[in-house]
Amino acid sequence: MKIKILETPIFHIDGGAYFGVVPKIIWQKKYPADENNMCKAACRSLLVVDEKRVVLIDTGIGDKPEEENEDLYFTDYSENLIQNLANAGFSPNDITDVVLTHLHFDHCGGCFYMDKNTNSYKLYFKNARHYVNIKQWENAMTPNYREKSSYHHEKLISLQNEGLLVLIDEEFKLTENIELRIFNGHTPGLMLPVIFSEKNTLFFTGDLIPAMASIPLAWISAYDLFPLTSIEEKKNILNEAAEKNWIFIYQHDFYNVASYLNKTDRGIRAGNTIEKSEIEDL
Ligand SMILES: [Zn+2]
């Protein structure tokens, strides 16, 4: 098995939204913000090569739009998924499976490019099945008022039009060593992978635990639709992870890529951090 972190464009999240009801006076000790209260957020993809399967987990924000209205997220496009994939030795056609943890724009936008001939969105990963939880798909197709702007309908429809969408209704093993778990607090049908490498078990925390600072139970993002569900889900996964010595990979944490966990008197907390370059050897 080979595991590689691929960076994609980074964006900025309002600190209050990032850490929910936690007061700034507390969260700013754990995560820096600029003078506008904006926090840098990574949008990491994970590449997992398991036997003959080349699996990409999430694809980030995607290409810079030709015409853009005001970008409230101050997106920095200097990291590019396709380029970073090439640096890792793979072309888009090599990808056999794309797992979309959910369909918010910062998790699936990198699947699509604008085809100027037809003026429509096409898929980069033409040989890949694209896995989405059915509850998430339905939620995205008939979005509630709160999440509406997080879904780019025109792009999502191309998944269906190109016949590469696979809807998942329960937890399952994607490959021998990748298991997909389902969560419903952030948004219905969030799918997060547990990856069993030769030496370790890794959990890609996605939007359930977006940053290392988000580990304490009350630190729930204001974007979560059902915060009490998120707390319960977080508690369960933290207990299991600490028990089994899993490593967490943080998708949105600009400063910390991954860490071990520690049981403390105050609950489960982050342990030693792990550098990006070390992930491949885990
Ligand atoms: Zn999200």
Side-chain angles (χ1 to χ4, degrees):
M1 172 179 275
K2 183 175 166 180
I3 299 171
K4 196 150 178 73
I5 301 261
L6 302 177
E7 299 290 344
T8 77
I10 68 154
F11 70 144
H12 295 77
I13 305 178
D14 179 88
Y18 207 173
F19 298 112
V21 296
V22 179
K24 185 175 182 189
I25 201 157
I26 308 278
W27 65 250
Q28 71 183 357
K29 293 180 190 157
K30 302 281 182 190
Y31 207 99
D34 68 15
E35 65 281 8
N36 291 319
N37 211 40
M38 300 298 269
C39 297
K40 271 190 200 308
C43 290
R44 300 198 169 92
S45 291
L46 204 56
L47 179 72
V48 186
V49 184
D50 190 13
E51 304 268 318
K52 291 199 165 96
R53 307 277 285 277
V54 185
V55 181
L56 193 58
I57 296 153
D58 274 356
T59 59
I61 285 176
D63 300 335
K64 188 173 174 33
E66 294 246 313
E67 288 163 40
E68 194 166 31
N69 300 328
E70 195 185 6
D71 177 11
L72 295 172
Y73 297 98
F74 303 98
T75 310
D76 173 351
Y77 291 92
S78 44
E79 293 284 0
N80 180 283
L81 175 64
I82 304 299
Q83 186 55 53
N84 287 336
L85 195 57
N87 295 344
F90 294 91
S91 84
N93 288 341
D94 296 330
I95 305 296
T96 59
D97 307 83
V98 175
V99 174
L100 297 172
T101 63
H102 62 304
L103 299 171
H104 289 163
F105 70 94
D106 55 319
H107 293 262
C108 66
C111 294
F112 314 101
Y113 67 91
M114 174 49 83
D115 178 1
K116 286 185 186 146
N117 295 325
T118 58
N119 202 29
S120 62
Y121 287 104
K122 295 283 165 59
L123 297 179
Y124 272 119
F125 310 107
K126 297 202 177 309
N127 299 324
R129 283 157 296 190
H130 292 60
Y131 298 88
V132 177
N133 184 271
I134 192 161
K135 280 197 276 181
Q136 177 60 198
W137 179 258
E138 286 166 357
N139 190 62
M141 289 300 108
T142 51
N144 57 65
Y145 191 76
R146 171 90 178 276
E147 282 178 293
K148 204 175 172 122
S149 61
S150 296
Y151 292 122
H152 293 178
H153 190 79
E154 210 186 326
K155 291 179 182 171
L156 296 180
I157 283 298
S158 70
L159 278 173
Q160 208 169 37
N161 291 346
E162 293 199 37
L164 295 175
L165 176 66
V166 180
L167 293 176
I168 300 304
D169 62 359
E170 55 189 17
E171 302 194 332
F172 80 116
K173 278 185 104 168
L174 178 71
T175 69
E176 193 54 45
N177 300 300
I178 304 175
E179 195 177 293
L180 296 178
R181 300 277 186 98
I182 299 172
F183 304 86
N184 296 294
H186 176 63
T187 184
L190 174 75
M191 286 200 303
L192 298 174
V194 182
I195 300 153
F196 303 93
S197 76
E198 272 140 51
K199 289 175 262 174
N200 287 289
T201 303
L202 300 100
F203 178 62
F204 189 66
T205 58
D207 277 359
L208 178 64
I209 306 176
M212 197 167 82
S214 318
I215 287 180
L217 293 184
W219 292 51
I220 298 292
S221 151
Y223 291 107
D224 285 20
L225 292 183
F226 309 106
L228 295 180
T229 306
S230 297
I231 288 178
E232 207 51 39
E233 291 174 341
K234 200 157 85 163
K235 190 167 80 187
N236 292 338
I237 205 81
L238 280 167
N239 284 337
E240 181 176 359
E243 200 58 46
K244 297 177 179 169
N245 233 347
W246 290 2
I247 288 164
F248 275 7
I249 298 178
Y250 305 106
Q251 186 168 23
H252 282 307
D253 193 324
F254 184 77
Y255 306 95
N256 302 288
V257 173
S259 80
Y260 294 95
L261 297 172
N262 275 342
K263 281 185 185 165
T264 75
D265 298 343
R266 290 170 300 130
I268 294 160
R269 293 290 183 270
N272 290 339
T273 54
I274 299 164
E275 296 298 318
K276 201 188 303 177
S277 57
E278 296 173 85
I279 299 276
E280 279 175 79
D281 304 319
L282 292 172

